[in-house]
């Protein structure tokens, strides 16, 4: 029987690459969800014939509804943020792949887990903002949370030998360094949206591309790794690997290191999350070591890239610290993409929000939303 998947964020970078994998593996796509790209979603509905489609943006949902009237077997349309949550929590698929961007993905992750469905998680913001709630939901439902983020997939792949995994002592989380690697504050001050959107190795959505330029992405991934693999943040070392060929490494008690390598193509980690524990042929090509010749390693410059320093402070504070850092970043990146603030303002604002409170302690979902709102308001009032 074909594997059944529900794909959230199907019109994005991870979403479309996930459909490449679904097409190749012959999966049944039970549901698709998108925010506002109606045309793209309709094209996907025509190809994959899902039973459900969720559209978050109201105007886009109206547009999709009008078009679906002419379909022979239209999917049931679900609307708004509640529609996204409903689709995630249907319990009618083997796995929900969450490729939504931002904290908007958190309620869907929780709904899927609570419905007893495994989740393949690209939406790192779910773990960053609500890691405590997500891990609790995984335990309570006895389901699996499979990493899609390439670094976390690499770590997960290196930990498949359960016997060695017990002796994990350190994670070496690799980072490309982004388009501004090696630059100092003076040079970064004038960087524009267009400069920051040019990533050297990966072709991704706008928000994560800016996060890669500020190194916020690596800070978010450090927090994601703490939740997924249970090591304290001081046992996770960030290593700049400019070619994005080594996707991360793990170290064991005997100081032996294992790495996972491959071309920088997200279809490998997406597919592994969907086929685990099996490996199947993938659409991605072989790594050509003769052409590659060199792999380089560098240290991340936290003095310059303050988002990374801010995320480390946030995870050390615990509780809602990471949620605050994330909320401030989402708002600051939105403003940067609208040319309303400068590149260095992103790090300044994220760090200021983290520094503004102690944040520790346990929390509820309402606390997460309140903290996210507070962080966004803080950013807007400190421009
Ligand atoms: P993207 O911007 O290309 O796509 C985002 C998707 O989410 C779109 O389908 C969009 O319709 C949907 N969406 C946006 N806002 C929404 C909302 N409020 N409610 C519901 N849906 C909404 O982003 P992406 O690059 O595909 O990244 C998606 C997630 O995967 C992010 O969390 C990102 O950090 C993570 N990720 C991406 C990559 C990559 O290579 N692109 C790699 C690792 C992790
Ligand atoms: Mg990553």
């Amino acid at each position: 029987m074909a594997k059944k998947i529900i794909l959230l964020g199907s019109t994005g970078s991870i979403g479309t690459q996930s459909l490449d994998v679904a097409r190749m593996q012959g999966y049944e796509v039970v549901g698709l969800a998108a925010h506002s790209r109606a045309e793209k979603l309709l094209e996907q509905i025509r190809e994959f014939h899902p039973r459900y489609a969720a559209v978050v943006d109201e105007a886009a949902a109206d547009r999709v509804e009008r078009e679906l009237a002419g379909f022979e077997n239209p999917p049931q349309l679900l609307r708004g943020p509640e529609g996204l949550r409903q689709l995630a929590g249907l319990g009618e698929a083997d796995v929900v792949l969450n490729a939504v961007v931002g904290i908007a993905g958190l309620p869907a992750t929780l709904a899927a887990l609570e419905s007893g469905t495994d989740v393949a998680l690209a939406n790192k913001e779910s773990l960053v903002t609500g890691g405590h709630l997500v891990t609790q939901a995984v335990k309570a439902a006895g389901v699996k949370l499979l990493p899609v983020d390439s670094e976390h997939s690499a770590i997960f792949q290196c930990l498949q030998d359960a016997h060695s995994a017990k002796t994990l002592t350190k994670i070496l989380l690799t980072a490309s360094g982004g388009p501004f690697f090696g630059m100092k504050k003076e040079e970064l001050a004038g960087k524009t949206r267009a400069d920051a959107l040019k990533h050297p190795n990966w072709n991704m959505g706008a928000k994560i591309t800016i996060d890669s330029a500020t190194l916020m992405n690596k800070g978010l991934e450090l927090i994601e790794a703490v939740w997924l693999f249970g090591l304290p943040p001081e046992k996770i070392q960030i290593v700049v690997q400019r070619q994005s060929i080594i996707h991360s490494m793990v170290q064991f008690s005997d100081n032996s290191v294992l790495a996972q390598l491959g071309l920088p193509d997200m279809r490998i980690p997406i597919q592994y999350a969907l086929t685990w524990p099996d490996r199947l042929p993938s659409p991605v090509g072989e790594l050509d070591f003769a052409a590659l010749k060199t792999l380089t390693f560098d240290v991340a410059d936290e003095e310059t890239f303050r988002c990374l320093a801010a995320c480390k402070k946030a995870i050390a504070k615990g509780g809602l610290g990471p949620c605050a850092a994330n909320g401030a970043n989402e708002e600051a990146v939105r403003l940067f993409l609208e040319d309303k603030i400068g590149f260095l303002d992103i790090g300044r604002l994220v760090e200021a929000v983290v520094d503004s409170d102690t944040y520790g302690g346990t929390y509820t979902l309402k606390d997460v939303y309140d903290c996210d709102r507070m962080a966004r308001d803080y950013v807007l009032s400190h421009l």
Side-chain angles (χ1 to χ4, degrees):
M1 273 240 301
K3 185 166 228 169
K4 293 185 186 143
I5 69 166
I6 288 175
L7 174 58
L8 313 177
S10 67
T11 54
S13 160
I14 293 290
T16 52
Q17 295 180 87
S18 300
L19 288 176
D20 287 347
V21 171
R23 190 182 292 115
M24 173 151 176
Q25 300 301 343
Y27 291 152
E28 180 184 340
V29 179
V30 175
L32 292 171
H35 184 260
S36 42
R37 292 178 63 194
E39 254 336 295
K40 186 88 202 160
L41 181 67
L42 285 161
E43 190 188 296
Q44 295 176 341
I45 293 171
R46 276 185 209 101
E47 180 180 354
F48 290 94
H49 309 290
R51 272 182 266 152
Y52 304 87
V55 184
V56 174
D57 178 75
E58 279 303 322
D62 290 343
R63 168 96 217 280
V64 169
E65 187 167 33
R66 278 197 303 276
E67 292 289 325
L68 288 182
F71 279 48
E72 212 165 291
N73 278 312
Q76 185 181 329
L77 183 66
L78 304 165
R79 290 168 161 270
E82 185 48 31
L84 176 75
R85 223 184 56 82
Q86 268 178 287
L87 176 59
L90 275 178
E92 291 184 30
D94 300 307
V95 60
V96 169
L97 198 166
N98 188 350
V100 167
V101 61
I103 191 177
L106 173 63
T109 297
L110 291 172
L113 295 169
E114 284 159 9
S115 76
T117 310
D118 291 344
V119 171
L121 191 70
N123 178 253
K124 61 192 84 183
E125 296 91 343
S126 283
L127 275 172
V128 171
T129 57
H132 169 64
L133 305 173
V134 171
T135 44
Q136 251 180 359
V138 170
K139 269 201 206 116
V143 291
K144 284 180 217 67
L145 186 63
L146 299 149
V148 170
D149 213 345
S150 57
E151 296 77 2
H152 305 74
S153 174
I155 297 161
F156 182 60
Q157 291 182 52
C158 291
L159 294 175
Q160 288 305 303
D161 165 9
H163 200 69
S164 308
K166 278 189 243 150
T167 77
L168 176 72
T169 53
K170 191 172 172 181
I171 287 171
L172 300 141
L173 187 72
T174 54
S176 72
F180 304 148
F181 177 72
M183 295 183 192
K184 295 290 174 199
K185 285 194 173 153
E186 311 73 65
E187 220 175 327
L188 291 175
K191 292 295 178 197
T192 63
R193 167 199 152 98
D195 299 325
L197 284 174
K198 279 184 219 132
H199 195 277
N201 306 330
W202 298 96
N203 187 5
M204 310 178 286
K207 190 253 177 188
I208 184 178
T209 306
I210 303 302
D211 289 349
S212 301
T214 59
L215 295 198
M216 183 72 190
N217 187 48
K218 218 40 63 177
L220 297 175
E221 290 185 353
L222 173 81
I223 298 165
E224 185 185 11
V226 168
W227 284 112
L228 284 172
F229 304 110
L231 281 193
E234 57 278 9
K235 299 281 183 198
I236 303 174
Q237 183 185 337
I238 291 163
V239 177
V240 176
Q241 206 292 289
R242 288 292 282 157
Q243 298 79 24
S244 298
I245 295 296
I246 301 181
H247 299 305
S248 277
M249 303 177 268
V250 299
Q251 187 172 304
F252 300 108
S253 52
D254 57 356
N255 289 342
S256 172
V257 175
L258 288 192
Q260 187 264 338
L261 288 73
L263 289 175
D265 187 317
M266 286 304 296
R267 291 174 302 178
I268 292 181
I270 291 168
Q271 178 168 301
Y272 190 69
L274 297 174
T275 62
W276 177 87
D278 298 324
R279 285 189 189 274
L280 295 177
S282 94
V284 182
E286 285 181 23
L287 197 51
D288 178 355
F289 284 89
L292 184 65
K293 290 205 174 73
T294 39
L295 288 173
T296 60
F297 302 95
D298 287 284
V299 174
D301 177 3
E302 281 172 41
E303 259 326 295
T304 306
F305 294 89
R306 296 307 295 167
C307 283
L308 180 54
C311 284
K312 286 193 175 174
K313 287 195 224 177
I315 187 74
K317 287 189 176 193
L320 290 164
C323 174
N326 179 75
N329 181 62
E330 286 193 26
E331 199 64 22
V333 169
R334 186 182 65 74
L335 292 165
F336 177 72
L337 286 170
E338 291 173 3
D339 293 321
K340 292 194 176 126
I341 61 172
F343 183 77
L344 289 174
D345 291 326
I346 304 174
R348 172 181 66 80
L349 290 162
V350 172
E351 189 170 20
V353 168
V354 171
D355 288 343
S356 72
D357 199 292
T358 50
Y359 293 114
T362 55
Y363 50 80
T364 64
L365 187 56
K366 180 178 180 299
D367 297 331
V368 171
Y369 292 137
D370 289 348
C371 176
D372 179 67
R373 188 69 263 156
M374 176 284 299
R376 290 169 191 266
D377 290 344
Y378 186 102
V379 164
L380 293 171
S381 59
H382 289 76
L383 298 179

